[in-house]
Amino acid sequence: MSNSTTARPFRVAIVGSGPAGVYAADILTKSQEVAGGDVEVSIDIFESHPAPYGLIRYGVAPDHPRIKGIVNALHRVLDRGDIRFFGNVTYGRDLSLSDIRSFYDAVIFATGAVKDAELNVPGIELEGSFGGADFVSWYDGHPDVPREWPLTAKEIAVIGNGNVALDVARVLSKHADDLLATEIPDNVYQGLKSSPVTDVHIFGRRGPAQVKFTPLELRELSHSRDVDIVLYDEDFDFDEASDAAIRTNNQVKTIVKTFTNWLAEEHDESRVPASRRLHLHFLHTPVEILGTDGRVSGIRFERNELDGTGNARGTGEFIDYPVQAVYRAVGYFGSELPEVGFDTRRGVIPNDGGRVLGHDGTPVPGLYATGWIKRGPVGLIGSTKGDALETVGCLLEDRAGLPAAEHPGEQEIVELLESRGVDYTTWEGWNKLDAHEQHLGASYVADGGLDVARERIKVVDREQMVNISKK
């Protein structure tokens, strides 16, 4: 049966409340068809966590207030009252695809990418070898990761040349007291406080002109108190492609200039050495994580050289570094969703412009994707908005021909969740939890007489989050 909006609103479910999902909801409500009155929509967002915002809450380093500011924009959208939020509801466990299709005319999957991409080198399974995404989840207070983290290493390797690698290395090397002003939970502060780390090494496969850092993220490394940045002259051998990028790309030019300024500062003999060091290495490809008695004891790299095109090739020279922990930060990877196709190579839902494709390569009516689960874990907020615009455009174009929901009443999905005993949270509940976390920050008393102003302290325990939301 084809859809009709003459008698009722067009019902849309969005799975995921990070930027991708919230932007899709916002763009749909502001579309010409909806704003002009041709289409009335009713949108429900489902989130597996009790709190909204996805990777903005659980994937951004706590000392990034500028990026955390995106939360304010997402809050304004959800606070308008025309989009419902159902937290603590997991797709594939609490709701199946058939459930959603029974209650909604269309569904947009915006589940992002939260797992670590694989790094296939010998020794990756050793104790002391970690995924960067897992560590990010820990220090961001994710409710589904252990409360403790084994921070016993003095020397640490971080593999990757993107912003996540910088975040991981910065948090590992930063003094815990300097993170107190952020929203980190107490267990994270205590764990970092006890860390014996002295040296954190970041390794990239290509050269300084090929890094995936953004200039702002890179410069933040120099803001860490009592942490020296160490670079190596032999890593700064630029090829023709590097020189061209420096001349023509302002971002590359800024990044390389930052590196060269730091190199010059290293030779200032009047500087007092810091108690911790953050090393930046380029032209290194990991070939093996070394172990002793089942634990990480070092890492071996092949030394690279640039080939003239900006790509790297091995030289046959191998270097070993003594480290007691290795963090891989080589990218995120999407997770397969029940009853939905999945590209195991790219980690995305197969789609054409946001229309989810079936096994035969044709669009599945009523199923859409946006954000990282649509395009892969690349691009910033601007790309996410563009994704949502494209996907919503396809949905609206298809609207009249989509199968109609059998149970489109707004209360019917509530009754289903309650009949299944799903302890869901609401937007009103999030506002209660938000106020509670802010109160924890305002009433915080630091140990040792530290004078610290805290905006909030995250609640970590899932059951506690739900209970506070339902008070």
Side-chain angles (χ1 to χ4, degrees):
M1 181 173 65
S2 294
N3 217 316
S4 172
T5 59
T6 56
R8 62 168 178 83
F10 182 61
R11 293 278 283 144
V12 178
I14 297 177
V15 181
S17 69
V22 177
Y23 288 148
D26 188 41
I27 289 170
L28 179 55
T29 61
K30 294 177 178 176
S31 65
Q32 182 176 348
E33 292 86 342
V34 175
D38 295 333
V39 180
E40 182 183 359
V41 294
S42 171
I43 303 171
D44 291 340
I45 295 182
F46 295 94
E47 170 60 53
S48 61
H49 305 119
Y53 309 140
L55 274 182
I56 295 297
R57 180 173 169 92
Y58 293 120
V60 175
D63 56 348
H64 274 341
R66 183 187 63 86
I67 298 177
K68 290 287 186 182
I70 297 169
V71 166
N72 295 332
L74 304 182
H75 179 94
R76 285 193 294 271
V77 173
L78 294 177
D79 202 45
R80 294 192 313 240
D82 57 342
I83 301 165
R84 291 195 302 182
F85 172 78
F86 291 90
N88 205 39
V89 179
T90 299
Y91 170 79
R93 184 193 67 192
D94 301 317
L95 289 177
S96 68
L97 181 59
S98 60
D99 291 330
I100 291 179
R101 303 202 71 170
S102 176
F103 290 90
Y104 298 90
D105 303 304
V107 55
I108 301 174
F109 292 102
T111 51
V114 298
K115 297 193 306 184
D116 284 287
E118 292 185 355
L119 178 65
N120 294 316
V121 298
I124 196 69
E125 77 289 345
L126 289 168
E127 187 177 349
S129 171
F130 306 106
D134 292 335
F135 181 60
V136 171
S137 293
W138 175 74
Y139 67 59
D140 268 334
H142 194 291
D144 299 331
V145 301
R147 299 292 181 269
E148 307 303 320
W149 191 271
L151 291 163
T152 59
K154 289 187 176 182
E155 299 159 300
I156 300 171
V158 178
I159 303 171
N161 258 183
N163 285 339
V164 175
L166 288 187
D167 285 349
V168 168
R170 191 182 64 257
V171 171
L172 284 167
S173 60
K174 205 165 188 175
H175 291 276
D177 286 347
D178 295 334
L179 286 166
L180 261 183
T182 74
E183 62 186 22
I184 60 169
D186 187 61
N187 66 295
V188 176
Y189 169 69
Q190 296 297 338
L192 293 170
K193 182 78 170 176
S194 64
S195 171
V197 67
T198 59
D199 293 84
V200 177
H201 300 260
I202 304 176
F203 294 95
R205 184 177 60 85
R206 296 193 292 169
Q210 285 80 42
V211 299
K212 299 299 182 182
F213 313 144
T214 54
L216 181 62
E217 294 262 2
L218 180 63
R219 286 195 293 264
E220 284 183 353
L221 292 184
S222 64
H223 299 163
S224 295
R225 178 184 60 85
D226 192 34
V227 179
D228 280 342
I229 297 174
V230 183
L231 298 101
Y232 298 86
D233 291 320
E234 61 268 27
D235 289 342
F236 288 80
D237 185 15
F238 299 106
D239 64 355
E240 295 91 335
S242 301
D243 290 335
I246 294 169
R247 289 194 307 270
T248 60
N249 186 304
N250 286 332
Q251 177 164 306
V252 174
K253 183 187 301 182
T254 301
I255 286 172
V256 172
K257 183 178 180 181
T258 300
F259 287 142
T260 53
N261 287 341
W262 287 348
L263 267 174
E265 291 172 4
E266 279 188 47
H267 299 295
D268 181 359
E269 296 181 359
S270 66
R271 297 179 67 218
V272 177
S275 67
R276 295 180 177 181
R277 290 160 295 280
L278 202 162
H279 307 254
L280 293 169
H281 303 268
F282 307 101
L283 300 171
H284 282 66
T285 293
V287 295
E288 183 178 2
I289 299 174
L290 309 175
T292 303
D293 297 328
R295 290 191 55 84
V296 171
S297 59
I299 185 167
R300 178 169 297 158
F301 291 89
E302 181 176 11
R303 182 75 184 173
N304 296 332
E305 63 183 6
L306 296 175
D307 65 1
T309 68
N311 290 313
R313 60 192 174 202
T315 64
E317 175 189 356
F318 296 89
I319 309 171
D320 292 354
Y321 293 86
V323 297
Q324 300 82 51
V326 174
Y327 290 75
R328 65 186 185 278
V330 294
Y332 283 93
F333 199 78
S335 299
E336 186 171 1
L337 298 172
E339 302 180 81
V340 182
F342 190 68
D343 184 333
T344 57
R345 183 181 62 84
R346 296 179 55 222
V348 299
I349 295 174
N351 69 91
D352 180 9
R355 294 182 174 98
V356 172
L357 302 178
H359 296 299
D360 60 356
T362 61
V364 181
L367 270 60
Y368 301 87
T370 191
W372 280 4
I373 199 64
K374 170 188 175 183
R375 72 177 188 275
V378 293
L380 302 175
I381 292 299
S383 301
T384 301
K385 288 183 176 179
D387 266 349
L389 188 63
E390 180 184 52
T391 296
V392 169
C394 291
L395 185 154
L396 288 170
E397 183 179 320
D398 301 340
R399 178 185 57 83
L402 297 180
E406 296 177 15
H407 306 286
E410 291 187 347
Q411 186 61 23
E412 292 188 78
I413 187 65
V414 175
E415 294 171 354
L416 177 71
L417 293 173
E418 291 179 348
S419 71
R420 292 180 175 175
V422 179
D423 210 6
Y424 66 89
T425 60
T426 63
W427 181 247
E428 292 75 15
W430 159 247
N431 283 328
K432 294 177 183 178
L433 178 58
D434 184 30
H436 179 81
E437 291 184 341
Q438 292 184 45
H439 175 73
L440 291 178
S443 60
Y444 179 80
V445 178
D447 294 334
L450 288 173
D451 184 14
V452 180
R454 306 196 67 180
E455 180 183 349
R456 73 169 64 238
I457 299 175
K458 268 185 188 169
V459 175
V460 179
D461 183 77
R462 180 182 286 266
E463 184 176 354
Q464 185 183 7
M465 294 172 71
V466 172
N467 289 339
I468 294 168
S469 299
K470 288 181 166 293
K471 283 183 179 178

